């Protein structure tokens, strides 16, 4: 049996689809959150890397044909999932479809004509972000993780995260985000480095005492990872500037040390659809949670106002300056915030939305508390929409003097 006869036999054993059917799938996904594979079939490109870098169908995942048997379970663990394979012209994907069927996948098709037919039809395609050789070495321990891979690392390199504060929590969070290759890290802070900060604020150093914290952060991160662009916002957030500052970022990491800023960023982030990773510290204890934006006009997880409808009295929530804090506690909580931010950017794992993680350093234990959405929340309660949110400055609400 020659190769042509064998290919014909294989195509007789598998199911094929066409470009038009896949076009409809891709168009239906446009504008939806996630990695483009939230609904319908998982679209897998089985071409070689050099072919993939020249362009791919939007929303496709890449597993070269030579690694398909090794990596398919990482991308598609359920063998009943609908899978569509494509290559350059439809031959390799046909053989790949036969292989997946033999592995027990029950709903596999090959796209006839492959990527060549897609381009001939004049349909839109994407090009992947291609890492430099130096970046491939730097992020090798990330890219070997199936949950990250080269596509995930490229996503991180193109992402933007804003840290509220360049202090105790912003320091470890910002450093780990930069080390992970998040392409742009912003810091909002109007303070300068003080000697008393150095016990916990590891972004800064003795020779930078008196320097604006955002400038000190730029110096530290430039030495750590030259891939990362650092944007300093040397200001205090208020209702007049918060939307302009956060609008271009993908995720907000909140390390603010006061209630007015926490309430304000909650409202602004909900209004613009930005996820917020929230962390707090007090003496030997810290907490971490994640607030996700509205899904359409529906809110499933809680927001900060669901947690704290009213701020506690000032004497019940003293600052680190008043109550003290274990320096290394900042590293634990800040690293957890960075972990959550990276998961949100990659769209992988389970976030802390609806859960609050508390760490007790003296007892060396974590505890988890459920934090459901409050349907009566004045900001995100039932019937509320992002458009209805009006920004205010919360100093009076929190009984804080300017």
């Amino acid at each position: 049996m020659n190769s042509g006869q064998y290919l014909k036999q294989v195509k007789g054993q598998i199911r094929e689809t066409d470009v038009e059917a896949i076009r409809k799938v891709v168009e239906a996904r446009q504008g939806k959150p996630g990695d483009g594979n939230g609904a319908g079939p998982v679209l897998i490109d089985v071409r070689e890397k050099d072919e993939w870098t020249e362009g791919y169908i939007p929303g496709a995942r890449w597993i070269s044909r030579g690694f398909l048997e090794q990596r398919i379970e990482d991308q598609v663990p359920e063998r009943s999932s609908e899978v569509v394979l494509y290559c350059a012209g439809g031959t390799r994907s046909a053989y790949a479809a036969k292989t997946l069927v033999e592995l027990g996948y029950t709903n596999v098709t090959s796209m006839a004509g492959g990527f060549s037919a897609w381009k001939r039809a004049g349909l839109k395609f994407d090009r992947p972000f291609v890492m430099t050789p130096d970046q491939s070495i730097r992020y090798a321990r990330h890219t070997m993780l199936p949950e990250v891979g080269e596509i995930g690392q490229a996503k991180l390199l193109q992402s933007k995260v804003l840290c509220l504060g360049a202090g105790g929590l912003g320091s470890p969070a910002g450093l780990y985000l930069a080390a992970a290759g998040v392409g742009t890290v912003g810091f909002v802070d109007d303070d300068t480095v003080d000697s008393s900060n150095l016990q916990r604020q590891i972004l800064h150093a003795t020779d930078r005492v008196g320097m604006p914290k955002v400038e000190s952060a730029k110096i530290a991160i430039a030495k750590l990872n030259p891939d990362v662009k650092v944007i300093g916002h040397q200001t205090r957030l208020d209702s007049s500037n918060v939307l302009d500052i956060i609008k271009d970022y993908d995720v907000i990491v909140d390390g603010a040390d006061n209630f007015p800023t926490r309430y304000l960023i909650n409202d602004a982030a909900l209004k613009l659809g930005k996820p917020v990773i929230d962390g707090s510290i007090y003496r030997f204890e810290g907490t971490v949670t994640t607030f996700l934006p509205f899904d359409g006009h529906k809110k499933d997880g809680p927001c900060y106002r669901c947690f704290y409808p009213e701020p506690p009295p000032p004497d019940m929530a003293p600052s680190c300056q008043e109550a003290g804090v274990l320096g290394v506690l900042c590293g634990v909580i800040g690293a957890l915030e960075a972990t959550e931010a990276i998961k949100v950017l990659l769209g992988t794992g389970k976030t802390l939305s609806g859960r609050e993680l508390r760490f007790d350093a003296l007892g060396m234990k974590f505890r988890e508390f459920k934090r459901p959405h409050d349907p009566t929340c004045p900001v995100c309660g039932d019937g509320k929409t992002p458009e209805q949110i009006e920004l205010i400055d919360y100093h009076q609400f929190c009984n804080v003097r300017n």
Side-chain angles (χ1 to χ4, degrees), residues 1 3 17 75 116 195 198 206 232 256 266 275 306 308:
M1 182 184 298
S3 59
T17 186
Q75 295 287 347
S116 297
S195 294
L198 303 180
T206 303
N266 175 75
C306 294
Y308 302 105

Side-chain angles (χ1 to χ4, degrees), residues 107-394:
N107 194 2
V108 182
T109 58
S110 169
M111 190 179 83
F115 189 64
S116 297
W118 184 270
K119 289 201 296 184
R120 283 197 302 270
L123 298 173
K124 177 190 173 191
F125 59 90
D126 291 336
R127 283 191 171 90
F129 178 93
V130 180
M131 291 190 290
T132 66
D134 286 345
Q135 288 173 330
S136 295
I137 295 170
R138 178 183 284 270
Y139 306 116
R141 298 303 185 274
H142 264 179
T143 56
M144 66 177 58
L145 295 170
E147 295 84 356
V148 182
E150 291 192 7
I151 295 173
Q153 187 60 53
K155 187 180 293 186
L156 292 179
L157 285 162
Q158 297 172 90
S159 296
K160 299 179 180 181
V161 176
L162 179 65
C163 295
L164 299 187
L169 295 178
S171 288
L175 286 170
Y176 266 113
L177 290 169
V182 172
T184 300
V185 179
F187 291 93
V188 181
D189 203 308
D190 68 344
D191 202 1
T192 57
V193 179
D194 184 85
S195 294
S196 66
N197 301 148
L198 303 180
Q199 160 257 13
R200 64 199 179 281
Q201 299 182 17
I202 57 175
L203 266 174
H204 313 303
T206 303
D207 62 355
R208 300 199 292 276
V209 169
M211 181 182 293
K213 287 184 178 180
V214 295
E215 295 302 319
S216 176
K218 288 181 182 180
I219 293 171
I221 289 177
K223 292 179 179 179
L224 173 65
N225 190 349
D227 286 341
V228 179
K229 177 183 179 181
V230 178
I231 299 176
H233 305 273
Q234 191 176 349
T235 186
R236 184 176 292 270
L237 286 181
D238 59 37
S239 60
S240 69
N241 64 17
V242 64
L243 295 180
D244 283 338
I245 288 175
I246 74 171
K247 63 182 174 63
D248 293 326
Y249 291 93
D250 303 304
V251 175
I252 313 299
V253 172
D254 189 355
D257 60 359
N258 63 85
F259 283 101
T261 299
R262 289 177 175 276
Y263 282 116
L264 177 64
I265 200 65
N266 175 75
D267 295 0
L270 284 173
K271 192 172 184 69
L272 295 184
K274 307 289 184 180
V276 175
I277 316 302
D278 182 88
S280 65
I281 49 175
Y282 175 71
R283 300 190 69 188
F284 296 94
E285 298 182 350
T287 67
V288 185
T289 190
T290 295
F291 302 122
L292 298 179
F294 286 88
D295 181 7
H297 278 203
K298 182 182 178 183
K299 193 75 170 67
D300 291 324
C303 77
Y304 191 77
R305 287 292 293 275
C306 294
F307 275 36
Y308 302 105
E310 303 288 338
D315 60 341
M316 294 294 291
S319 67
C320 295
Q321 184 176 356
E322 298 166 319
V325 63
L326 183 67
V328 294
L329 175 67
C330 302
V332 175
I333 301 303
L336 289 172
E337 286 191 281
T339 303
E340 279 288 280
I342 289 169
K343 285 162 50 187
V344 170
L345 292 170
L346 294 175
T348 191
K350 182 180 180 181
T351 73
L352 283 170
S353 177
R355 299 179 293 149
E356 182 183 63
L357 191 64
R358 291 187 186 178
F359 174 60
D360 173 3
L362 288 180
M364 196 52 71
K365 61 183 178 182
F366 286 93
R367 291 184 294 170
E368 181 181 299
F369 297 86
K370 290 184 178 180
R371 296 295 196 185
H373 170 245
D374 179 2
T376 66
C377 174
V379 180
C380 76
D382 291 353
K384 303 290 185 181
T385 66
E387 295 80 8
Q388 294 173 333
I389 297 173
E390 295 184 8
L391 301 182
I392 64 170
D393 290 317
Y394 279 95

Side-chain angles (χ1 to χ4, degrees), residues 76-83 104-108:
V76 190
E78 295 295 329
R79 283 174 164 74
S80 61
S81 300
E82 185 180 1
V83 179
Y105 285 85
T106 59
N107 194 2
V108 182

